[in-house]
Amino acid sequence: MVLTMAETQEFLVPLEQYLKEGIHIGTKFKTKYMENFIYKVRNDGLMILNVQEIDKRLKIAINLLSQYKPEEVIIVCRRENGWKAVRAFSRITGVRAFAGRYPPGILTNPNLETFTEAKLMLITDPWQDKNVIKDALNVGIPVIALCDTNNECNNIDLVVPCNNKGKRSLGLAYWILARGYLGSLGVEMKEGIEEFTDTE
Amino acid sequence: MVLTMAETQEFLVPLEQYLKEGIHIGTKFKTKYMENFIYKVRNDGLMILNVQEIDKRLKIAINLLSQYKPEEVIIVCRRENGWKAVRAFSRITGVRAFAGRYPPGILTNPNLETFTEAKLMLITDPWQDKNVIKDALNVGIPVIALCDTNNECNNIDLVVPCNNKGKRSLGLAYWILARGYLGSLGVEMKEGIEEFTDTE
């Protein structure tokens, strides 16, 4: 990969680690929302995301997250490949995570016993987690979303471009976010990336 | 205006004030980037922005700004209607403002005497301030942009939808941002909106 721009940008993890976990490997489809994050199309048709943009947006996401207390944030991940990652994020930071099915109405229906409030939402895939985006819109809270090349980004306040399909890519993304968020709380994260994903 | 959503959302200023300064009045043109922020089309063809989205994004912008020291941020505004506002922002917060012409190369050419560094950029219009977006991309720093219905939002990290043409709308937007930013520094802003715009 030729770095033509932002050569002074200091990455959150070494470039090699981003590439090794495939955080930049998109899909064969692109939406208008994601085209600005696409660096090139590989010979086999896979869209490749711009790593500098991934890194920059992860930093912005950390900055935004760090404005909120753990109890004010919820993370949602319907995709099974992200369950280990969001559960580790939750265990380590105290942020509530919904890995798997997101219970309908918990943010919008005060009559439910499970009713809860949140001030910021972090989601793994705008397609799979579309119901929760609607709820966030209804209660007027910001949404940060990991978005792959094929995602529509309606009603997403901060798009973090990345491969949101693979276990290792999701593990790395959530590990970086958890480490940054903990750091903003003045805590050094001890957990390695193996807590967030299956390593080879 | 019928508030169908987010009725629990607490606004940064009373809804009436947003409407009075015309922060929600867009243009007759819309881009694909901005269509999600548009509430309706008025009979005379003007696109009206969703005030809840304006308010939510202003809050996110404040949260993001508050992660940076004043000397790390620059504000750019080529449009004359925003000069009074960005100059007031600069005077009150200590953030550097470029009202009018943006000197080329100051972020990208270390050989210039005027070379400077920044970690976050706030711009008034992606069209008028397009050169500075290129510079931000080159040095890899995030860009927050006030965006009207007719703006393209390539390479903007955080879009704040609003009327970025009118003096009073820009005055209100920058006054809210300055007040929020100062608040995050633990300072209560004493300056009224008349410092940011010509009031009637």
Side-chain angles (χ1 to χ4, degrees), chain A residues 64-199:
Chain A
L64 202 54
L65 274 166
S66 65
Q67 292 294 310
Y68 298 84
K69 297 181 196 134
E71 61 270 26
E72 295 175 334
V73 182
I74 68 173
I75 306 190
V76 176
C77 179
R78 185 150 195 149
R79 173 166 293 122
E80 194 169 351
N81 272 349
W83 292 359
K84 185 169 178 177
V86 300
R87 284 174 181 150
F89 192 112
S90 176
R91 195 169 59 242
I92 293 165
T93 64
V95 161
R96 278 165 299 168
F98 295 94
R101 186 170 166 276
Y102 165 76
I106 59 161
L107 286 178
T108 52
N109 184 352
N111 298 320
L112 289 183
E113 264 187 51
T114 50
F115 177 71
T116 185
E117 289 183 274
K119 293 191 172 168
L120 180 72
M121 191 178 282
L122 174 56
I123 69 167
T124 309
D125 185 317
W127 172 246
Q128 292 211 329
D129 302 322
K130 57 188 178 302
N131 290 330
V132 83
I133 298 177
K134 270 186 227 156
D135 281 4
L137 193 65
N138 274 324
V139 293
I141 63 171
V143 178
I144 303 174
L146 307 187
C147 294
D148 212 324
T149 61
N150 66 327
N151 279 125
E152 308 263 328
C153 307
N154 305 321
N155 303 315
I156 303 300
D157 296 286
L158 181 67
V159 168
V160 178
C162 70
N163 168 355
N164 65 9
K165 311 290 188 292
K167 209 178 256 192
R168 295 178 53 180
S169 170
L170 286 170
L172 178 60
Y174 278 114
W175 179 78
I176 289 172
L177 290 171
R179 187 188 60 171
Y181 182 54
L182 270 193
S184 78
L185 300 171
V187 181
E188 195 188 334
M189 191 165 87
K190 295 192 174 56
E191 287 79 0
I193 195 166
E194 68 282 357
E195 302 269 329
F196 286 70
T197 180
D198 304 331
T199 48

Side-chain angles (χ1 to χ4, degrees), chain B residues 7-25:
Chain B
E7 282 159 21
T8 56
Q9 188 174 328
E10 210 173 293
F11 283 164
L12 291 160
V13 298
L15 175 60
E16 296 70 30
Q17 191 172 3
Y18 278 133
L19 302 181
K20 185 172 150 240
E21 309 302 354
I23 203 167
H24 62 313
I25 310 290

